[in-house]
Amino acid sequence: MPSISKKGIEMPESPIRKLVPYAENAKKRGVKVFHLNIGQPDIKTPQVALDAVKNNTVETLSYARSEGSEEYRTKLAKYYVKNNIPVTADNIIVTTGGSEALLFTIGSITDPGDEIIIPEPFYANYNGFSTASGVTVVPVISKIEDNFALPKIEDFEKLITNKTKAILICNPGNPTGYLYSKEEIEKLKKIVLKHDLFLIADEVYREFAYDGLEHTSVLSLEGLDQNAVVIDSVSKRYSMCGARIGCIVSKNKTFVKTAIKFAQARLSPPTYALIASEAALDTPQSYFDNVIREYASRRNTLITELKKIDGVKVANPKGAFYCVAQLPVKDSDAFAQWLLEDFSSNNETVMVAPASGFYSTEGEGKNQIRMAYVLNENDLKRSVEILAEALKQYKN
């Protein structure tokens, strides 16, 4: 048969989605599965966004502009300005989800063989995007013992070579929930300016900051106009994962002009989703206030319950809606599969994401899992009860 590309063979499986067939088989057996594996919020999408699609008067569903409609980008720019990010519509390219925004960004700034430094653990698809672009991920490891704080700047500097093109962070972090402080962002600013690198910030969880802390965008800092690129999305902010609308935001005109060529090659983002996303910008602040209170409460419940289990170590997230837990198991991939194939408690089990897929360093994260607190508090408590019982029965 014709051969498959080396790139295709090397593309990593999603640690989040690869266990789906096992979960589906468990459900067919009548087992209830609590999904802590994926960042799909159970929060309702703002009604204003749903109504915009339901009540629109579009008669021909035509192409949008490759960079997204001017109306949406103009309205989106006002949202950023309100959040201390001074940009205009010309600084924004609308994409099909944050994933496409990352692919366009990597394609615009790297050539095959180039390198991007990323603190790990990181969003698993960064591995896939880099592989698809022929780019090498150079990890700098953050530790659960430090709550996954930014590694020392010296750790970054010793990894920089003539092939390094960017530092990529997720803030707040997926899978850790870590929220970088302004001081940490300032440290990254200094290093990218010193070495003339791009600083790419995946800020899709910007709204979700807890304990009175505030999010600092890389685009809110002076002096980074030519270096900073923000990746954003409506998926988590408005619980609109299925809309598949994201964006790239940058004040670097040459970069934006380059990224638009990638946007033109895929034609345009989906028109109905643009309509919903534009309407979502009218969502009142009370919606976010309620959502943040809910997530903070869920976080507190999950962390409190996890800490009751002997042998479990858990980081305390300050943002997003994920946490990483270290379990008394040798291989969390095998454990996560066992939970779905061979275990149930009163005909119930849990689905988690093995954390090794959120690292690129071989062997790291083998005894860790990511959990998304996107379920109500009663379900979270029950999920941890099931996890505790499973750990008692599991044989390494």
Side-chain angles (χ1 to χ4, degrees):
M1 60 173 277
S3 62
I4 300 299
S5 69
K6 181 183 177 184
K7 181 169 62 178
I9 293 170
E10 291 178 350
M11 276 291 287
E13 286 185 301
S14 167
I16 306 165
R17 295 176 180 270
K18 68 181 181 181
L19 293 172
V20 168
Y22 300 104
E24 294 303 314
N25 287 337
K27 293 173 186 176
K28 288 176 183 177
R29 299 193 306 270
V31 177
K32 180 177 180 178
V33 178
F34 290 96
H35 284 272
L36 302 179
N37 61 301
I38 194 165
Q40 171 59 65
D42 65 344
I43 304 295
K44 288 186 177 180
T45 303
Q47 194 61 41
V48 65
L50 300 175
D51 288 344
V53 175
K54 188 183 303 182
N55 302 328
N56 79 86
T57 58
V58 172
E59 294 182 352
T60 302
L61 202 59
S62 57
Y63 289 119
R65 286 177 61 174
S66 292
E67 59 267 53
S69 67
E70 186 170 358
E71 293 82 4
Y72 177 50
R73 288 182 295 113
T74 299
K75 198 170 178 180
L76 187 56
K78 292 178 181 177
Y79 156 82
Y80 286 123
V81 170
K82 189 174 69 173
N83 284 275
N84 195 34
I85 303 172
V87 296
T88 68
D90 291 338
N91 302 131
I92 300 171
I93 300 173
V94 182
T95 57
T96 308
S99 298
E100 189 176 74
L102 278 159
L103 282 169
F104 288 177
T105 297
I106 293 172
S108 297
I109 68 173
T110 65
D111 291 308
D114 284 340
E115 299 172 350
I116 297 177
I117 297 174
I118 313 178
E120 65 176 359
F122 51 71
Y123 176 46
N125 280 343
Y126 294 165
N127 276 323
F129 300 146
S130 299
T131 300
S133 301
V135 173
T136 300
V137 169
V138 178
V140 53
I141 300 176
S142 60
K143 297 289 188 180
I144 193 169
E145 291 79 11
D146 301 323
N147 213 38
F148 297 111
L150 185 76
K152 295 178 181 178
I153 291 302
E154 294 80 12
D155 293 343
F156 284 91
E157 292 224 80
K158 66 186 180 184
L159 298 174
I160 294 173
T161 71
N162 60 1
K163 291 186 176 182
T164 306
K165 291 299 177 74
I167 294 173
L168 167 59
I169 63 169
C170 186
N171 184 34
N174 176 5
T176 64
Y178 186 79
L179 180 70
Y180 291 104
S181 67
K182 185 175 182 181
E183 291 72 25
E184 288 173 312
I185 300 297
E186 289 281 3
K187 288 179 181 180
L188 290 172
K189 170 186 170 180
K190 289 179 181 178
I191 194 171
V192 298
L193 290 177
K194 177 180 177 181
H195 295 277
D196 198 23
L197 305 175
F198 282 98
L199 177 56
I200 307 167
D202 183 342
E203 298 184 357
V204 304
Y205 299 96
R206 179 188 302 108
E207 258 73 19
F208 309 115
Y210 314 125
D211 304 330
L213 300 175
E214 293 186 359
H215 175 266
T216 299
S217 173
V218 298
L219 282 172
S220 68
L221 303 184
E222 293 184 1
L224 273 180
D225 285 7
Q226 300 307 306
N227 303 76
V229 179
V230 162
I231 306 300
D232 208 348
S233 169
V234 304
S235 292
K236 315 300 181 179
R237 180 171 302 129
Y238 304 109
S239 195
M240 289 172 59
C241 295
R244 308 312 306 135
I245 291 292
C247 67
I248 303 169
V249 190
S250 179
K251 297 180 185 179
N252 183 318
K253 293 180 180 179
T254 303
F255 165 78
V256 170
K257 186 176 180 180
T258 303
I260 283 176
K261 291 187 285 186
F262 286 85
Q264 290 170 342
R266 67 80 165 95
L267 302 185
S268 66
T271 301
Y272 268 139
L274 279 172
I275 291 171
S277 299
E278 182 181 340
L281 288 165
D282 292 326
T283 302
Q285 182 58 42
S286 58
Y287 172 89
F288 298 108
D289 294 340
N290 291 334
V291 169
I292 291 166
R293 276 195 297 270
E294 177 65 21
Y295 278 134
S297 182
R298 292 179 182 188
R299 178 204 59 175
N300 295 340
T301 295
L302 180 61
I303 300 302
T304 298
E305 296 302 312
L306 284 171
K307 286 182 176 180
K308 294 177 182 178
I309 306 176
D310 288 341
V312 171
K313 181 184 295 183
V314 60
N316 189 27
K318 298 296 185 181
F321 38 70
Y322 307 102
C323 75
V324 171
Q326 189 166 294
L327 307 180
V329 301
K330 293 179 181 178
D331 187 338
S332 60
D333 282 86
F335 176 66
Q337 186 172 329
W338 175 83
L339 283 171
L340 298 170
E341 277 195 307
D342 302 310
F343 173 81
S344 69
S345 169
N346 291 329
N347 224 29
E348 296 176 329
T349 192
V350 293
M351 187 176 183
V352 297
S356 58
F358 298 92
Y359 290 82
S360 63
T361 301
E362 189 69 28
E364 287 290 333
K366 289 294 289 182
N367 61 346
Q368 297 175 354
I369 59 172
R370 185 196 75 171
M371 306 175 78
Y373 41 97
V374 291
L375 304 179
N376 66 61
E377 290 186 52
N378 287 333
D379 285 351
L380 287 174
K381 287 181 179 179
R382 176 59 184 147
S383 296
V384 178
E385 286 178 4
I386 294 168
L387 180 66
E389 186 176 337
L391 286 169
K392 291 178 182 177
Q393 295 186 27
Y394 186 66
K395 307 297 181 183
N396 275 306

